[in-house]
Amino acid sequence: MKISVIGAGYVGLTTAACLAEIGHSVRCADNDEAKLDLLRKGRVPFYEPHLEEIVARNCAAGRLKFETTEDAVAGSEAIFICVGTPPMDNGEADLSAVANVARTIAQQATGRCLVIEKSTVPVQTGQQLKRQLQLYAAKGLRCDLVSNPEFLREGSAINDFFHPDRIVVGVETDWAAEQLREVYRPVLEQSFDCPAHKDCTHRRNPAWIVTDTNSSELIKHASNSFLAMKISFINMVADLCEAVGADVSKVTLGMGMDPRIGPAFLNPGIGFGGFCFPKDVQAFVRIAEKAGCDFSLLKEVEKINKHRIDRFIEKVRQELWVLRGRKIAVLGLAFKPNTDDVRFAPAIELLRVLVHEGAIVSAYDPQAAEKAKAVLPDVRYCASPYEAAQGADAILIATEWEEFGNLDGDELTRIVARPLVVDGRNMFNPAEIAARGFTYISIGRQPASDADDVHPAHAAPDVLAVRK
Ligand code: UGA
């Protein structure tokens, strides 16, 4: 099909590239000319595993093109709106970019076409969009509005596109549902060559869920808010574990075995970040308020999350006594591994507080240093974790990048001022890291005890510790 994707951010570009990969002819638009130029040269302006190669392959095959919004929507059979909906001061989503795109579509699109709202928007936005499209429509245009929320996670977005659990579509006409089914047919039937995994074993046909547009819009906000709630819940359980001498990793093991709870999203730490959960929880609270429902449960979720950094800093302070003048290495800047995104990253907030307290901070991240530098220039960014750890009084883990699990423990103990690791992501096995001579503080877990009985000789050779 002839498809346009408006917005070349994380969601839009991934969607455009993956739709081209499954055989559609895709025109992707953005109002940032510099970004379009970069993309036309085959360069992706952010880090997402596999994305650049998919973009390059499909551009070369002529299935993916980058154009202005006006050019991209003309003659399209399906137009995906993937522009940003950033938070305003009152927590509500700013829908101005969505509204502008709607007007351009109304004026430039032709014939009968699908207009698919993929940006995360408050419930009932579809109805407003439909009205805008009707009000400004050029002669002969007939738009069928669809809500099709995305469930892509940064860092595994390609896999999530090709192997989703479910595809949700909120429609007003059977024709729209049929058309969208056609768009996604290769994914629904899992009949494509998987670009992310050779000999892919992830194949399971996703559920196809057809609803009305309001329900579809709510599915997105309710899903993200529920996941955020799970994280804040387990963070409180972790605090309780510390207070009463229990171990949160054992508690989550026992809880997660219940299929009604499940083991995912029960990792405690320094809190959730990124451009989705924090803004979506806020927006959902506002949506509920406006609809006359008091969703104060979610206000608690936010409050707990905000407090995670203070609590983590308190752990560091308990070990170092004063922070002013202490050398601290922070490993990890991105809001989670496998991305260079630092928006609302807990690591960035952590750095801010440390700098404010007068600590001498060195930071390392495999991908996100450039983006972190742009928001926090007063930190020393290092080319390796060892450079960051040189002379450090403490090493703090803020993002659980896999490479941190393979650090050379002997080298680290040799170069630090004090072998102290405060782990905000529970990456390491407490007994093994302690056996290598580190003081190890994590979240909601007990320090290594004699009962753990791990001798350095039994720990994995040459690496700091084995991931849980
Ligand atoms: C999230 C959702 O998981 C996606 O389904 C959704 O499509 C996306 O938002 C979106 O709305 O666009 P994402 O923000 O990329 O995806 O990242 P997640 O993997 O969900 O992680 C979010 C944050 O929660 C990270 O800071 C992560 O470190 C934290 N987290 C996650 C925890 O602290 N504990 C956990 O157990 C899981």
Side-chain angles (χ1 to χ4, degrees), residues 11 120 150-155 166 220 224 227 231 234-235 264-277 280 335-337 346 400 425:
V11 172
T120 300
E150 54 85 20
F151 302 105
L152 308 175
R153 290 163 299 176
E154 288 180 30
R166 79 288 206 197
K220 172 67 187 188
N224 274 7
L227 290 169
I231 300 170
I234 210 60
N235 278 330
F265 275 69
L266 289 180
N267 299 322
I270 53 174
F272 57 79
F275 205 57
C276 301
F277 285 179
D280 288 355
F335 81 97
K336 67 174 195 173
E400 67 277 34
R425 297 294 182 180

